[in-house]
Amino acid sequence: MADDNSVIPKKKGSMSVSEAGRKGGQTVRDKYGHSFYEEIGRKGGETVKAERGRAFYEAIGKKGGDTVKAERGAAFYEAIGRKGGEAVKAERGTPFYEEIGKKGGHRVRSLIEEGKKAAAELAAAAKLSNNDVPAPGGEVLPEPAHE
């Protein structure tokens, strides 16, 4: 059976760059399949990560986010946040929110306790070394004379 391209002769150079790219991509897709693209994409991502590091991804992510924000505005983020929240609620239900709320509350409580403990330790250390602490204005006062 003859190939479709061999039936209708075309002049050399009659195909645009985008047409040639599309045709080449379809040929590769037909020959290697979807998993081939996944694999080369993963390898490419690993190479970029090794060469440029995490900061590169942070920079391009921020740049993309800033572009979307400028083009679509805050209402866009409100809309996609609402859609995402509704999807999570439909998938996991209200008990999920109760659970993560409790976890967050416990974490906040433990952080407050850690902060209070650290502040108490600093205060105790300051009382022990009170003689070495400069006056409030920053100047060091001379020691009182012992007669």
Side-chain angles (χ1 to χ4, degrees):
M1 180 172 177
D3 189 18
D4 287 340
N5 293 334
S6 64
V7 175
I8 304 171
K10 286 189 173 184
K11 288 193 255 176
K12 186 176 182 181
S14 64
M15 189 181 304
S16 71
V17 174
S18 63
E19 289 172 325
R22 188 177 310 107
K23 185 177 178 184
Q26 289 170 348
T27 303
V28 171
R29 181 196 63 207
D30 294 344
K31 185 174 182 180
Y32 296 107
H34 181 74
S35 61
F36 171 75
Y37 288 102
E38 290 176 347
E39 183 180 343
I40 63 172
R42 183 183 44 76
K43 286 180 179 178
E46 289 172 357
T47 302
V48 171
K49 181 181 176 185
E51 290 175 356
R52 300 190 180 196
R54 178 185 174 106
F56 171 73
Y57 287 105
E58 289 175 359
I60 63 172
K62 180 168 180 4
K63 187 176 179 182
D66 291 344
T67 301
V68 171
K69 183 179 177 183
E71 289 176 356
R72 299 184 181 218
F76 171 73
Y77 289 104
E78 291 173 9
I80 63 172
R82 190 177 312 103
K83 283 176 77 174
E86 289 169 359
V88 170
K89 184 179 178 183
E91 183 179 317
R92 298 186 177 197
T94 52
F96 170 73
Y97 290 104
E98 292 172 1
E99 180 184 340
I100 63 173
K102 285 179 186 175
K103 286 181 180 179
H106 291 299
R107 180 68 180 141
V108 168
R109 185 180 311 122
S110 68
L111 289 172
I112 290 171
E113 289 172 2
E114 289 174 20
K116 286 180 179 179
K117 182 179 176 183
E121 290 173 358
L122 284 173
K127 285 181 183 179
L128 291 176
S129 63
N130 198 16
N131 295 338
D132 299 335
V133 178
E139 69 276 4
V140 178
L141 301 174
E143 298 218 7
H146 292 78
E147 291 185 34

